[in-house]
Amino acid sequence: QSVLTQPPSVSGAPGQRVTISCTGSSSNIGTHSKIYWYQQLPGTPPNLLIFDDDNRPSGVPDRFSGSRSGTSASLAITGLRAEDEADYYCQSYDSSLRASVIFGGGTKLTVL
Amino acid sequence: QLQLVQSGAEVKKPGSSVKVSCRNFGGHFRNTAINWVRQAPGQGLEWMGGIFPVFEETHYDRKFQDRLTITADELTSTVYMELHSLRSEDTAIYYCARDMNGDYLFDPWGQGTLVSVPS
């Protein structure tokens, strides 16, 4: 069971907007630990999508955006496209006794 | 352009060890951390640990700290991940990933190495 909780799946039609939530606790997202989002296409390594909560690396379309509030974070994708169909993971750091990098369980995005 | 190239797939017996390499092409080696993340079949991502060669520091997740060793060879710009006492649950794709600033931002990732431990 992951320390960060994500919905197992979300879906949307082309052109629509979807959001993926990432719920943590006071020992990780709640401590203002940085949040990262990765996109993983089938059969490929994860690829950095969002860093430091809401920043996009060069080459990532502005259709992707990140936000955080309290002990949760969200990834929003607007203007959904077929090529966005992938698994999405949030990542942060937990400063509890375990002191570890933590990932969400992943969310499968299906473009209808 | 930094590229991380990992060694090939492995099939191991339960109880044995596996050593996976990750070679750094085109980037600074000593002042860059390399971390290891694994992904079991059909499952999510799991951080194992990392090394920061310039500080000679390693950090391991508690789950693996008793049987995981991460080392670095500056001469060949290669980082090694060795997992001991393998069991079937260790069957996974093992990825290395760069962490340039020590803040656990992983970019880029290696291509992945499949380690199979048949029961």
Side-chain angles (χ1 to χ4, degrees):
Chain A
Q1 191 171 356
S2 303
V3 179
L4 300 178
T5 301
Q6 297 180 233
S9 63
V10 297
S11 62
Q16 284 190 333
R17 178 181 187 269
V18 297
T19 61
I20 298 173
S21 61
C22 174
T23 303
S25 69
S26 58
S27 63
N28 42 72
I29 297 178
T31 63
H32 304 290
S33 296
K34 293 180 180 181
I35 297 166
Y36 310 112
W37 289 91
Y38 299 89
Q39 178 192 59
Q40 186 176 33
L41 298 169
T44 68
N47 186 53
L48 181 66
L49 199 61
I50 297 288
F51 67 96
D52 295 354
D53 302 353
D54 58 1
N55 293 279
R56 284 174 285 105
S58 60
V60 173
D62 60 5
R63 301 185 297 104
F64 295 90
S65 63
S67 64
R68 71 187 294 165
S69 178
T71 57
S72 295
S74 289
L75 172 71
I77 309 172
T78 59
L80 210 55
R81 304 175 68 157
E83 59 260 38
D84 298 333
E85 187 160 294
D87 294 322
Y88 293 84
Y89 294 91
C90 60
Q91 178 214 325
S92 188
Y93 184 85
D94 195 282
S95 57
S96 65
L97 282 178
R98 186 166 179 177
S100 172
V101 174
I102 51 175
F103 288 95
T107 298
K108 169 67 177 178
L109 168 63
T110 300
V111 181
L112 302 171
Chain B
Q1 182 80 3
L2 172 67
Q3 189 177 10
L4 300 177
V5 179
Q6 300 182 219
S7 49
E10 303 259 15
V11 179
K12 292 292 182 178
K13 294 184 177 180
S16 67
S17 299
V18 68
K19 193 170 186 177
V20 180
S21 68
C22 172
R23 188 166 182 183
N24 180 333
F25 287 93
H28 298 290
F29 180 74
R30 289 199 79 236
N31 57 351
T32 295
I34 296 292
N35 282 251
W36 291 89
V37 176
R38 76 178 187 179
Q39 186 171 35
Q43 302 300 309
L45 304 172
E46 182 175 35
W47 181 73
M48 301 177 70
I51 187 167
F52 215 138
V54 69
F55 300 118
E56 298 183 349
E57 276 186 9
T58 52
H59 297 274
Y60 300 125
D61 186 88
R62 289 192 170 199
K63 176 178 177 178
F64 300 102
Q65 64 183 18
D66 291 338
R67 59 188 189 105
L68 175 63
T69 305
I70 299 175
T71 56
D73 181 344
E74 284 190 56
L75 288 178
T76 60
S77 298
T78 301
V79 171
Y80 297 93
M81 184 281 300
E82 188 169 20
L83 189 61
H84 311 278
S85 303
L86 290 170
R87 34 214 191 225
S88 59
E89 309 90 88
D90 293 318
T91 293
I93 297 175
Y94 290 76
Y95 295 103
C96 62
R98 179 186 69 166
D99 168 14
M100 194 163 67
N101 300 316
D103 57 2
Y104 301 112
L105 185 165
F106 299 149
D107 180 56
W109 296 56
Q111 84 274 21
T113 297
L114 176 61
V115 175
S116 299
V117 188
S119 55

